[in-house]
Amino acid sequence: MENYTMEGRTYRYYGQEAPLYPFGYGLSYTTFQYRDLVLSPPALPVCANLSVSVVLENTGQRDGEEVVQLYLRWEQSSVPVPRWQLVAFRRVAVLAGRETKLSFQVVAEQRAIWAQDWHLEPGTFTLFVGGQQPGQQMRVPSEVLSARFTVTGAARPLRGC
């Protein structure tokens, strides 16, 4: 085998074509609403970690569980990268009519790209948080919040951080 590219071979590189059953696909007996997405800091050095918080509210009449998913998208990269990459997820039980504030860390290693070695690049990134993949079509409404953050500094090998 001489062609190791993942283009067209895995759902992460299909372009605009969505997988039939994406990660997190399924139904729920209740509804959830996401709000107050906060990225801290909004501009960070190339080797720094990103703190993420979001409020999840069960707006339905039944207790339920939601799989909160965080996806990262590179806005511009020096090499081909996935449309978005799952960087964190957590199953959360929320009582009917209640809400919970969740915190996550997106570590620098999760922004690393492969170009003969793992390295980190500066640039603009978009983080998506919700109960499904960004752009996923579902029969049950679920929202995905997004926010951008910027990584500053010079590109460097991951092992140099």
Side-chain angles (χ1 to χ4, degrees), residues 23-24 32-34 37 54 56 66-71 86 88-90 102 104 127-134 142-146:
F23 181 79
F32 295 95
Q33 180 178 6
Y34 290 82
L37 175 60
V54 67
L56 173 65
E66 174 81 329
V67 178
V68 180
Q69 304 168 42
L70 277 68
Y71 291 89
L86 180 67
F89 66 94
R90 185 180 307 154
L102 303 166
F104 296 88
L127 188 80
F128 300 93
V129 179
Q132 64 187 31
Q133 290 183 1
S142 182
E143 61 191 325
V144 175
L145 303 179
S146 65

Side-chain angles (χ1 to χ4, degrees), residues 84-96:
W84 49 74
Q85 175 173 307
L86 180 67
V87 293
F89 66 94
R90 185 180 307 154
R91 179 178 294 273
V92 181
V94 185
L95 300 175

Side-chain angles (χ1 to χ4, degrees), residues 2 5 17 29 61 63 68 83 93 101 111 119 141 144 150:
E2 296 176 4
T5 180
E17 185 180 335
Y29 293 105
Q61 296 182 10
D63 297 349
V68 180
R83 283 184 296 176
K101 184 174 184 177
R111 291 184 281 106
H119 70 277
V144 175
T150 305

Side-chain angles (χ1 to χ4, degrees), residues 24-30 65 138-140:
Y25 180 85
L27 300 177
S28 177
Y29 293 105
T30 190
E65 292 184 350
M138 291 183 66
R139 285 183 245 158
V140 176

Side-chain angles (χ1 to χ4, degrees), residues 26-79:
L27 300 177
S28 177
Y29 293 105
T30 190
T31 55
F32 295 95
Q33 180 178 6
Y34 290 82
R35 62 179 160 78
D36 301 334
L37 175 60
V38 176
L39 306 184
S40 178
L44 60 144
V46 73
C47 289
N49 298 334
L50 180 71
S51 295
V52 180
S53 68
V54 67
V55 174
L56 173 65
E57 181 181 4
N58 181 341
T59 57
Q61 296 182 10
R62 295 179 180 223
D63 297 349
E65 292 184 350
E66 174 81 329
V67 178
V68 180
Q69 304 168 42
L70 277 68
Y71 291 89
L72 181 68
R73 178 175 68 202
W74 291 258
E75 295 304 325
Q76 191 169 6
S77 168
S78 64
V79 296

